[in-house]
Amino acid sequence: MKKQITVVGNGFASMFFIGYFLAIPAFPIIAYFFRRIYSRYDITVIGNGKFIYFPAIPEFITKKRNKADITIDIRPFLRRRSIRFIEGVVIDIQDGGRTVITHDGEYRNDYLFIGIGPAFRKDDIPGTEDYTYSPCYGPDDMDGFVKKLESLSGGVIYVGYKINRRDGFVAGRPGPMYECA
């Protein structure tokens, strides 16, 4: 019996995880049929179907890229690999991770991978929400940043990252902000 794997999210982490279960095909057509016949896993991905290529977001500032340039529909990629795709939002996980519940139904699994990325909170420092932009928030936030940047005639822009000392975390990944700078 095939093991059921449910992957929540369709970003970098999820696609990297799925890659572990797929043989690198020398001939993609043959791999398509081979995977349908032989695979030991049934993989289901729950997400929005849009893969955002985050490393290109800093290029918004120089107008080399925009949201359409970095958004990729992953459904054909998954279909070619016989991976089931469910467009939806997970609203609950039950039974110790064995049941994933969306608005459209329940999905049972033997293994669960959650690749939804970090959750950012702009309201940690009062008064900064209206003036905080980050490539990590996605292309919509960077579009807002570029529009705000173009409207400035002068001023100071602070570039940095947040450290949550309460968690004992004393280092962060400032890369995207410094790339934008």
Side-chain angles (χ1 to χ4, degrees):
M1 187 168 145
K2 292 183 178 184
K3 296 287 185 183
Q4 301 291 323
I5 299 174
T6 300
V7 177
V8 177
N10 50 230
F12 268 112
S14 298
M15 294 300 103
F16 192 75
F17 178 76
I18 288 170
Y20 278 112
F21 298 99
L22 302 175
I24 297 173
F27 301 101
I29 302 298
I30 294 171
Y32 171 80
F33 291 109
F34 180 74
R35 172 144 171 64
R36 285 181 169 252
I37 296 168
Y38 174 70
S39 178
R40 298 182 324 200
Y41 306 101
D42 275 335
I43 302 173
T44 301
V45 174
I46 301 172
N48 64 6
K50 294 178 176 73
F51 177 82
I52 305 292
Y53 186 68
F54 273 87
I57 285 181
E59 294 180 23
F60 277 39
I61 295 170
T62 60
K63 304 273 191 219
K64 289 183 179 178
R65 308 264 173 131
N66 60 35
K67 183 177 180 179
D69 294 332
I70 66 166
T71 304
I72 301 162
D73 183 4
I74 62 162
R75 289 173 278 216
F77 169 84
L78 298 173
R79 198 172 21 258
R80 286 191 305 269
R81 286 151 182 86
S82 301
I83 296 173
R84 186 169 131 187
F85 176 75
I86 307 296
E87 187 160 349
V89 175
V90 173
I91 56 173
D92 197 10
I93 297 174
Q94 297 177 348
D95 303 327
R98 300 295 65 98
T99 304
V100 176
I101 301 172
T102 68
H103 291 292
D104 297 326
E106 295 183 2
Y107 302 94
R108 302 269 316 142
N109 64 70
D110 296 307
Y111 304 104
L112 174 64
F113 180 83
I114 301 175
I116 57 173
F120 297 98
R121 295 179 50 198
K122 292 183 179 186
D123 59 352
D124 283 352
I125 302 170
T128 61
E129 185 172 359
D130 295 339
Y131 306 102
T132 302
Y133 299 93
S134 172
C136 298
Y137 291 125
D140 294 330
D141 210 57
M142 279 308 290
D143 278 339
F145 173 71
V146 170
K147 287 177 186 164
K148 186 74 108 176
L149 187 64
E150 289 172 344
S151 71
L152 293 175
S153 61
V156 177
I157 298 173
Y158 290 94
V159 178
Y161 59 99
K162 180 180 170 277
I163 297 173
N164 189 350
R165 296 186 191 282
R166 288 177 290 180
D167 293 337
F169 186 40
V170 296
R173 185 183 173 274
M177 285 313 303
Y178 290 104
E179 290 166 4
C180 286

